[in-house]
Amino acid sequence: MSVKNRASLATRVIHSGQEPDSATGAVVPPLYTATTYVQDGIGKNRGYDYSRSGNPTRQRVEACLADLENAQAAFVFPSGLSAASTMLATLKPGAKIVAHEDLYGGVYRLLAQVGPAMSGCHVDLVDFCDTDALTAAAQGADLLWFETPSNPLLKIVDLSAIAKIANNVGAITVCDSTFASPCGQLPLDHGIDVVMHSATKFLGGHSDLLGGVLAVSENAIDSLAERIGYLQNALGAVMCPSDCALLLRSLRTLALRVERQTTSAAFLAEKLAASAADLGITEVIYPGLATHPGHAIAARQMSNYGALISLRLTGGLDRVERVLTATRLFHFAVSLGSVESLIQHPASLTHAAVAEEHREKISIGDDLVRLSVGCEDPADLAADLEAAFSQR
Ligand code: PLP
């Protein structure tokens, strides 16, 4: 069946890779905890020998994710960062990586600090929204790595433009699509080679599992999916079967959750922007607002504007801390994409690993807070924020 004729994403999150169990008819796929499998003879088995190399529950969740991302194959890892480090391991020693300047702090640390020490790769940080600067920096690059929307500044990168720049220089593209989920955008449809996710976020959606995903385009170089599968086994970077089952269960409600979260985020962003001065907010950053510099690109390549909102507050770090600890429904905690709303402070938490000069350069200051909008009633969330922002 062609991609265009397939059922919609809201249906596929429930059915892809989740056919009833052929042995029993169970509508929920069984959880295979076995680490080892009986061999029928030398070189003869029923598709499995050892759980790191292949597990039926993992295969189900990987099939579902490959289908959701329109990928040739998907692989699940024990965390987003292990997905990212496995992707880095596909590169030759001394490879040139050009990465977006606004990245999750842990990915920044991996690319800018750990990668160069481990494999001698060279990493340039560039604003991927500036396609002229990126075109110049991409000369000789092996890999272009970016997030859209980015963490925490919610910059929107033009997926088709990046794919074109990469094609011209023969570089592989990796889009960390954690902030969008497959319900928000499908980077592979825009010519990107690999989509990465921290499955800990929207895909898991309940703050109870760590995971990562790499999904590879059928247009990526021939051996890439095979190489990632090889490295997943060789490095031992596999998601455990019980987390695979939990992730599969969570995916069933992904479309519902993301629809609710993104509708509520749009409502809250408009509301906060309308009364920003009264609430002591100097900037509301949300790709759905017409004032956002990436709004037109987001409208073109996304199906919604996401569930993350970043804000700049007046009053210095003392007031920021009062606000962070005053919300009752928005928990003051890192992470995002879950059913419960969260508020956090990038400069001291998710981006503490980013070199101070780089944080200053891209304006991740003490005044910045990031909201992840959950599935609660949006009116209750608005009231919670208004009460907290009245802290002066
Ligand atoms: N990518 C993004 C955009 C993230 O926000 C995170 C974590 O916050 C990661 C990757 C890393 O994922 P994990 O924490 O699952 O290792």
Coordinates of all heavy atoms in Angstrom, one line a residue, residues 78-82 84 103-107 147 149-151 176-179 196-201 209-212 335-336 350 370, ligand 1:
P78 N 18.0 2.3 24.9 CA 17.7 2.5 26.3 C 17.5 4.0 26.7 O 16.9 4.3 27.7 CB 18.8 1.9 27.0 CG 19.8 1.4 26.1 CD 19.4 1.7 24.7
S79 N 17.9 4.9 25.8 CA 17.7 6.4 26.1 C 17.9 7.1 24.8 O 18.4 6.6 23.8 CB 18.7 6.9 27.2 OG 20.0 6.9 26.6
G80 N 17.4 8.4 24.8 CA 17.7 9.2 23.6 C 19.2 9.4 23.4 O 19.6 9.3 22.2
L81 N 19.9 9.5 24.5 CA 21.4 9.7 24.3 C 22.1 8.5 23.8 O 23.0 8.6 23.0 CB 22.0 10.2 25.6 CG 21.8 11.7 25.9 CD1 22.5 12.1 27.2 CD2 22.3 12.6 24.7
S82 N 21.6 7.3 24.1 CA 22.2 6.1 23.5 C 21.8 6.0 22.1 O 22.7 5.5 21.3 CB 21.9 4.9 24.3 OG 20.6 4.5 24.2
A84 N 21.5 8.6 20.2 CA 22.4 9.6 19.6 C 23.9 9.1 19.5 O 24.6 9.2 18.5 CB 22.4 10.9 20.4
L103 N 20.6 23.1 20.9 CA 20.4 21.6 21.1 C 20.2 21.4 22.6 O 20.7 22.1 23.4 CB 21.7 20.9 20.7 CG 22.2 20.8 19.3 CD1 23.5 20.2 19.2 CD2 21.2 20.1 18.4
Y104 N 19.5 20.3 22.9 CA 19.4 19.8 24.2 C 20.8 19.7 24.8 O 21.8 19.2 24.2 CB 18.7 18.4 24.3 CG 18.9 17.7 25.6 CD1 18.5 18.2 26.8 CD2 19.5 16.4 25.6 CE1 18.7 17.6 28.0 CE2 19.7 15.7 26.8 CZ 19.3 16.3 28.0 OH 19.5 15.6 29.1
G105 N 21.0 20.1 26.1 CA 22.3 20.2 26.7 C 23.1 18.8 26.7 O 24.3 18.8 26.5
G106 N 22.4 17.7 26.8 CA 23.0 16.4 26.8 C 23.5 16.0 25.4 O 24.6 15.4 25.3
V107 N 22.8 16.4 24.4 CA 23.3 16.2 23.0 C 24.4 17.1 22.7 O 25.4 16.7 22.1 CB 22.1 16.3 22.0 CG1 22.6 16.2 20.6 CG2 21.0 15.3 22.3
E147 N 17.9 19.9 15.7 CA 16.6 19.7 16.4 C 15.6 20.7 15.8 O 16.0 21.8 15.5 CB 16.6 20.0 17.9 CG 17.5 19.1 18.6 CD 17.7 19.5 20.1 OE1 17.1 20.5 20.5 OE2 18.5 18.8 20.8
P149 N 11.2 21.5 16.5 CA 11.7 22.7 17.2 C 12.8 22.4 18.1 O 12.9 21.3 18.6 CB 10.4 23.1 18.0 CG 9.3 22.4 17.3 CD 9.8 21.2 16.7
S150 N 13.7 23.4 18.3 CA 14.9 23.1 19.1 C 14.7 23.4 20.6 O 13.7 24.0 21.0 CB 16.0 24.0 18.6 OG 15.7 25.4 18.8
N151 N 15.6 22.8 21.3 CA 15.5 22.8 22.8 C 16.6 23.7 23.4 O 17.8 23.4 23.2 CB 15.7 21.4 23.3 CG 15.5 21.2 24.8 OD1 15.2 22.2 25.5 ND2 15.7 20.0 25.3
D176 N 16.6 15.6 15.2 CA 16.0 15.2 16.4 C 14.7 15.8 16.5 O 14.5 17.0 16.6 CB 17.0 15.7 17.6 CG 16.5 15.3 19.0 OD1 15.3 15.0 19.1 OD2 17.3 15.3 19.9
S177 N 13.7 14.9 16.4 CA 12.3 15.4 16.3 C 11.5 15.2 17.6 O 10.3 15.1 17.6 CB 11.6 14.6 15.1 OG 10.4 15.1 14.7
T178 N 12.3 15.1 18.7 CA 11.7 14.8 20.0 C 10.5 15.8 20.3 O 9.5 15.4 20.8 CB 12.8 14.9 21.1 OG1 13.7 13.9 20.8 CG2 12.2 14.8 22.5
F179 N 10.7 17.1 20.0 CA 9.7 18.1 20.4 C 8.5 18.0 19.6 O 7.4 18.6 20.0 CB 10.4 19.5 20.3 CG 11.1 20.0 21.5 CD1 11.7 19.1 22.3 CD2 11.1 21.3 21.9 CE1 12.4 19.5 23.5 CE2 11.7 21.7 23.0 CZ 12.4 20.8 23.8
M196 N 15.6 11.1 14.9 CA 15.9 10.7 16.2 C 14.8 11.2 17.2 O 14.3 12.2 17.0 CB 17.3 11.3 16.6 CG 17.8 10.7 17.9 SD 19.0 11.8 18.7 CE 18.3 12.0 20.3
H197 N 14.6 10.4 18.2 CA 13.7 10.8 19.3 C 14.3 10.4 20.7 O 14.8 9.3 20.8 CB 12.3 10.1 19.2 CG 11.4 10.5 18.1 ND1 10.7 11.7 18.2 CD2 11.2 9.9 16.9 CE1 10.0 11.8 17.1 NE2 10.3 10.8 16.3
S198 N 14.1 11.2 21.6 CA 14.1 10.8 23.0 C 12.7 10.2 23.2 O 11.7 11.0 23.4 CB 14.4 11.9 24.0 OG 14.1 11.5 25.3
A199 N 12.5 8.9 23.3 CA 11.2 8.3 23.5 C 10.7 8.5 24.9 O 9.6 8.3 25.3 CB 11.3 6.8 23.2
T200 N 11.6 9.0 25.8 CA 11.3 9.4 27.1 C 10.2 10.5 27.2 O 9.6 10.7 28.2 CB 12.6 10.0 27.8 OG1 13.7 9.2 27.4 CG2 12.5 10.0 29.3
K201 N 10.1 11.2 26.1 CA 9.2 12.4 26.0 C 7.8 12.1 25.5 O 7.1 11.3 26.1 CB 9.9 13.5 25.2 CG 11.4 13.7 25.7 CD 11.5 14.1 27.1 CE 12.8 14.5 27.6 NZ 14.0 13.6 27.4
L209 N 9.3 6.0 31.5 CA 10.3 5.1 30.8 C 11.3 6.0 30.1 O 11.0 7.1 29.6 CB 9.6 4.2 29.8 CG 9.0 4.7 28.5 CD1 10.1 4.7 27.4 CD2 7.8 3.9 28.1
L210 N 12.5 5.5 30.0 CA 13.6 6.2 29.3 C 13.7 5.4 27.9 O 13.7 4.2 27.9 CB 14.9 6.0 30.0 CG 15.3 7.0 31.1 CD1 16.7 6.6 31.6 CD2 15.5 8.4 30.5
G211 N 13.9 6.1 26.9 CA 14.1 5.4 25.6 C 14.6 6.4 24.5 O 14.5 7.6 24.6
G212 N 15.1 5.8 23.4 CA 15.5 6.5 22.3 C 15.1 5.8 21.0 O 14.9 4.6 21.0
S335 N 12.5 17.4 31.8 CA 11.8 16.5 30.8 C 10.5 17.2 30.3 O 10.3 18.4 30.6 CB 11.4 15.2 31.5 OG 11.3 14.2 30.4
L336 N 9.8 16.5 29.4 CA 8.7 17.2 28.6 C 7.9 16.1 28.0 O 8.3 14.9 27.9 CB 9.3 18.1 27.6 CG 10.3 17.4 26.6 CD1 9.7 17.4 25.2 CD2 11.6 18.1 26.5
T350 N 18.5 21.6 32.2 CA 18.7 20.9 31.0 C 19.9 21.4 30.2 O 20.4 20.6 29.3 CB 17.5 20.9 30.0 OG1 17.1 22.3 29.9 CG2 16.3 20.1 30.6
R370 N 11.0 27.2 30.6 CA 10.4 26.4 29.5 C 9.2 25.6 30.1 O 9.3 25.0 31.1 CB 11.4 25.4 28.9 CG 11.0 24.8 27.6 CD 11.8 23.6 27.2 NE 11.6 22.4 28.1 CZ 12.4 21.4 28.2 NH1 13.5 21.3 27.5 NH2 12.1 20.4 29.0
Ligands
PLP1 N1 17.0 15.2 22.5 C1 16.2 16.1 23.1 C2 15.6 17.2 22.2 C3 15.9 16.1 24.4 O1 15.2 17.0 25.0 C4 16.5 15.0 25.2 C5 16.3 15.0 26.7 O2 15.8 15.9 27.3 C6 17.3 14.1 24.6 C7 17.5 14.2 23.2 C8 18.0 13.0 25.4 O3 17.1 12.0 25.6 P1 17.2 11.0 26.9 O4 17.1 11.9 28.1 O5 16.1 10.1 26.7 O6 18.5 10.3 26.9

